[in-house]
């Protein structure tokens, strides 16, 4: 529901300052309970796309939804909230360029779903899409995820590797499908890093950098009905900081240096990555 309402706001179907349908109307339209409606509205409020979200009167579309999550005043938000609208905005360009450094690409795969929906709905039509992704090599000892006590390393590594490969394959398939369905020139390339990235970084159209720390936590996983404690990071919940090229020297320099860093890794110590187990 949040994705559909977000798309309506981004496309202009719901205009800035316009009052939303009531929660009862939305519940009826989407066939869900009121609690699900309130949750979707709160997500859009956290993205600064809606204002006046409450149990009473209908919410209102923000005065300037196009800049809801951009600029120096924008607060950092969890990756699941912040990344999709920024990726969708990037896909409004004629030539879309996305570079990413991450652990599994799950956040990027989820976020790409938003512009894909808009492309299939006819609201976006880039001519070219270039995506480059740096992921940890399968051949290294990961810094995380790892077992707390040092036993079960093989299982944890294989579980991470399966997720890395599956998410990368889905991302690649969904994007390359645009060639046949919409005639878009798409290129998706993966390369392997010889280390575990402690941060995630997304570079959009050479003008924006989105940066987040992987924060480790201790959690339990179940293997053959036995519990294994491990150190892991929930990357989808990492707080994402946005930096944009523009009049601000600090943000512009961060974007430029992030591109230099990414390209240096891509062209030097990274290696070919094949998304197979």
């Amino acid at each position: 529901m949040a994705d559909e309402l977000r798309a309506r706001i981004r496309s202009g179907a719901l205009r800035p300052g316009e009052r939303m349908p009531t929660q009862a109307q939305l519940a009826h339209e989407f066939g869900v309970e009121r609690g699900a409606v309130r949750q979707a509205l709160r997500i859009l409020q956290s993205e600064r796309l809606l204002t006046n979200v409450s149990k009473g009167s209908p919410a209102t579309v923000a005065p300037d939804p196009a800049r809801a999550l951009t600029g120096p005043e924008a607060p950092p938000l969890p990756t699941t909230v912040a990344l999709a609208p920024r990726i969708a905005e990037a896909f409004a360009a004629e030539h879309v360029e996305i570079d990413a450094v991450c652990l599994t690409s799950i956040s990027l795969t989820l976020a790409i779903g938003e512009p894909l929906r808009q492309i299939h709905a006819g609201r976006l039509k880039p001519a070219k899409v270039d995506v480059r992704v740096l992921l940890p090599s399968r051949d290294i000892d990961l810094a995380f995820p790892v077992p707390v006590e040092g036993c079960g390393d093989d299982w944890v590594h294989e579980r991470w590797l399966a997720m890395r490969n599956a998410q990368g394959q889905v991302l690649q398939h969904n994007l390359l499908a645009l060639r046949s369905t919409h005639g878009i020139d798409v290129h998706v390339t993966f390369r392997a890093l010889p280390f575990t990235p402690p941060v995630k970084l997304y570079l959009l159209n050479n003008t924006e950098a989105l940066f987040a720390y992987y924060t480790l936590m201790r959690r339990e996983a179940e293997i053959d009905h036995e519990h294994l404690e491990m150190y892991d990071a929930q990357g989808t919940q990492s707080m994402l900081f946005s930096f944009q090229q523009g009049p601000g020297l600090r943000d512009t320099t961060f974007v430029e240096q992030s591109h230099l860093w990414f390209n240096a890794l891509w062209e030097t110590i990274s290696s070919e990555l094949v998304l197979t187990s």
Side-chain angles (χ1 to χ4, degrees):
M1 185 189 303
D3 288 340
E4 173 59 28
L5 295 176
R6 185 188 299 111
R8 293 178 189 179
I9 294 171
R10 294 292 184 189
S11 68
L14 290 169
R15 298 182 301 278
E18 181 180 350
R19 297 186 77 179
M20 297 284 290
T22 66
Q23 292 184 14
Q25 290 170 327
L26 290 171
H28 176 74
E29 176 184 352
F30 289 93
V32 298
E33 299 293 330
R34 291 280 192 96
V37 173
R38 286 192 289 271
Q39 184 177 2
L41 295 178
R42 283 195 293 267
I43 289 172
L44 298 179
Q45 184 180 42
S46 71
E47 297 176 14
R48 297 192 174 183
L49 291 172
L50 294 179
T51 61
N52 301 325
V53 173
S54 67
K55 292 184 180 181
S57 59
T60 303
V61 179
D64 190 4
R67 293 192 56 80
L69 292 174
T70 64
E73 301 303 319
L77 294 168
T79 301
T80 48
V81 173
L83 187 57
R86 301 311 313 137
I87 295 286
E89 187 99 352
F91 267 76
E94 185 78 4
H95 182 191
V96 181
E97 295 180 85
I98 298 176
D99 295 332
V101 181
C102 44
L103 188 66
T104 63
S105 79
I106 184 171
S107 295
L108 182 59
T109 301
L110 291 171
I112 287 289
E114 174 64 17
L116 290 180
R117 282 187 287 272
Q118 295 196 35
I119 288 172
H120 290 303
R123 291 191 287 264
L124 291 174
K125 182 66 186 293
K128 186 175 182 181
V129 177
D130 287 313
V131 176
R132 300 187 299 172
V133 184
L134 286 168
L135 297 169
S137 168
R138 62 172 295 161
D139 300 321
I140 65 172
D141 292 328
L142 290 171
F144 59 89
V146 291
V148 172
E149 300 298 336
C151 60
D153 292 87
D154 290 343
W155 181 88
V156 172
H157 189 275
E158 289 303 315
R159 179 176 175 273
W160 162 80
L161 181 61
M163 183 177 296
R164 185 205 72 170
N165 291 344
Q167 293 298 327
Q169 288 168 355
V170 171
L171 176 66
Q172 188 174 51
H173 175 270
N174 289 346
L175 286 169
L176 292 181
L178 296 175
R179 289 179 177 175
S180 57
T181 60
H182 292 79
I184 299 173
D185 183 14
V186 179
H187 299 272
V188 184
T189 312
F190 296 87
R191 287 186 68 79
L193 290 171
F195 62 89
T196 310
V199 299
K200 54 166 54 179
L201 176 71
Y202 307 97
L203 303 170
L204 311 181
N205 293 345
N206 297 304
T207 60
E208 185 172 8
L210 300 167
F211 174 91
Y213 294 102
Y214 281 116
T215 302
L216 296 185
M217 61 186 67
R218 187 168 177 156
R219 68 181 187 86
E220 279 193 355
E222 187 173 320
I223 312 173
D224 297 329
H225 306 293
E226 294 187 10
H227 292 283
L228 170 71
E229 286 197 308
M230 56 193 295
Y231 293 120
D232 200 1
Q234 297 296 316
T236 56
Q237 297 304 312
S238 299
M239 299 298 287
L240 206 60
F241 295 80
S242 175
F243 300 84
Q244 287 193 320
Q245 282 193 325
L249 178 60
R250 184 196 67 133
D251 279 27
T252 296
T253 303
F254 186 89
V255 174
E256 292 173 349
Q257 291 298 311
S258 295
H259 275 284
L260 289 173
W261 181 72
F262 182 94
N263 287 329
L265 292 176
W266 188 270
E267 295 163 5
T268 58
I269 61 174
S270 66
S271 57
E272 182 181 4
L273 188 153
V274 179
L275 294 168
T276 57
S277 55

Short mmCIF file of all heavy atoms in Angstrom, two decimals, residues 15 23 42 147 186 232 271:
data_model
loop_
_atom_site.label_atom_id
_atom_site.label_comp_id
_atom_site.label_asym_id
_atom_site.label_seq_id
_atom_site.Cartn_x
_atom_site.Cartn_y
_atom_site.Cartn_z
N ARG A 15 -1.69 15.31 -5.59
CA ARG A 15 -0.95 16.56 -5.74
C ARG A 15 -0.50 17.13 -4.39
O ARG A 15 -1.13 16.87 -3.35
CB ARG A 15 -1.82 17.59 -6.47
CG ARG A 15 -2.22 17.17 -7.88
CD ARG A 15 -3.04 18.24 -8.58
NE ARG A 15 -4.26 18.55 -7.84
CZ ARG A 15 -5.37 17.85 -7.91
NH1 ARG A 15 -5.44 16.79 -8.68
NH2 ARG A 15 -6.44 18.20 -7.21
N GLN A 23 -9.00 6.93 5.98
CA GLN A 23 -8.47 5.60 6.27
C GLN A 23 -9.50 4.52 5.93
O GLN A 23 -9.14 3.44 5.46
CB GLN A 23 -8.06 5.52 7.73
CG GLN A 23 -6.86 6.40 8.07
CD GLN A 23 -6.39 6.23 9.50
OE1 GLN A 23 -6.77 5.28 10.18
NE2 GLN A 23 -5.55 7.16 9.97
N ARG A 42 2.04 6.00 8.12
CA ARG A 42 3.18 6.40 8.96
C ARG A 42 4.50 6.26 8.20
O ARG A 42 5.41 7.07 8.39
CB ARG A 42 3.20 5.57 10.25
CG ARG A 42 2.16 6.00 11.28
CD ARG A 42 2.46 5.42 12.64
NE ARG A 42 2.30 3.96 12.65
CZ ARG A 42 1.18 3.34 12.99
NH1 ARG A 42 0.11 4.04 13.33
NH2 ARG A 42 1.11 2.02 12.98
N PRO A 147 29.87 -16.76 13.52
CA PRO A 147 29.40 -17.31 14.79
C PRO A 147 30.13 -16.65 15.96
O PRO A 147 31.30 -16.28 15.86
CB PRO A 147 29.75 -18.80 14.70
CG PRO A 147 30.00 -19.06 13.25
CD PRO A 147 30.50 -17.79 12.68
N VAL A 186 20.25 -1.83 -20.94
CA VAL A 186 20.57 -2.11 -19.54
C VAL A 186 21.88 -2.91 -19.45
O VAL A 186 22.08 -3.87 -20.20
CB VAL A 186 19.44 -2.91 -18.86
CG1 VAL A 186 19.82 -3.22 -17.41
CG2 VAL A 186 18.13 -2.14 -18.91
N ASP A 232 25.97 -10.31 13.42
CA ASP A 232 25.46 -10.00 12.09
C ASP A 232 24.99 -8.56 12.07
O ASP A 232 24.85 -7.91 13.12
CB ASP A 232 24.32 -10.95 11.73
CG ASP A 232 24.06 -11.03 10.24
OD1 ASP A 232 24.77 -10.35 9.47
OD2 ASP A 232 23.14 -11.75 9.83
N SER A 271 37.66 -8.25 -8.26
CA SER A 271 37.85 -9.30 -9.26
C SER A 271 36.49 -9.71 -9.81
O SER A 271 35.44 -9.32 -9.33
CB SER A 271 38.55 -10.51 -8.62
OG SER A 271 37.80 -10.99 -7.51
#
